[in-house]
Amino acid sequence: MISGGFTCTCCGQEHDGLPFGYSMAAPVYWNPGLAGSPGNVLGDEQCVIDDEHHFVRGRIVLPVHDADEDFEWGAWVSLSEENFLRMAEVFADPARVNEPPYFGWLSVILPGYAPTTLNLKTNLHTQELGIRPLIELEPTDHPLAVEQREGITVARVQEIAELALHQ
């Protein structure tokens, strides 16, 4: 977060600080009614729905050209059962950084993107222990994929903050 604040173009108020990241609490397919029923688990890093749909939390990193830090979306990606189990198997292994990327589908709707971000193709890259996986979007012309490749500005970070504050 950069110091100072910003004047919101939506409400005209001064907001403290400018967040350089937001995180989605769960995959779009999760709903609170699933909690506690067999075959459904929502954890901090993994989610399973109906013992059939498998999700992992990761990070979409957007370089910010005019700042000293990147912007990050905390997001969820669906994985095949095979890849989900493999990722769980190597979760605590420092050598997991050598794993090939896992194919997945972005399973969140991030605000401020049209068309939707739901079901964009991704590759999930495991990172060092203690660091969430990196989500690499397929290099398409989708605005989120373009931002991941080309970067954004602090002005765009402010636009995202305003969306988050005034949804």
Side-chain angles (χ1 to χ4, degrees), residues 28-44:
V28 70
Y29 308 104
W30 179 263
N31 73 66
L34 296 171
S37 59
N40 297 300
V41 176
L42 175 62
D44 291 337

Side-chain angles (χ1 to χ4, degrees), residues 64-130:
V64 182
H65 298 297
D66 49 350
D68 293 333
E69 61 185 302
D70 294 330
F71 182 88
E72 291 190 11
W73 284 111
W76 292 83
V77 170
S78 68
L79 297 178
S80 68
E81 182 176 20
E82 179 183 345
N83 285 342
F84 181 82
L85 293 173
R86 175 62 184 163
M87 196 165 182
E89 182 182 320
V90 300
F91 184 77
D93 184 350
R96 73 184 194 180
V97 297
N98 300 318
E99 286 287 300
Y102 304 107
F103 174 79
W105 299 95
L106 195 60
S107 298
V108 294
I109 298 173
L110 299 177
Y113 293 96
T116 182
T117 58
L118 185 62
N119 293 324
L120 293 176
K121 292 180 181 179
T122 68
N123 277 307
L124 190 71
H125 299 267
T126 53
Q127 304 291 296
E128 295 177 9
L129 293 180

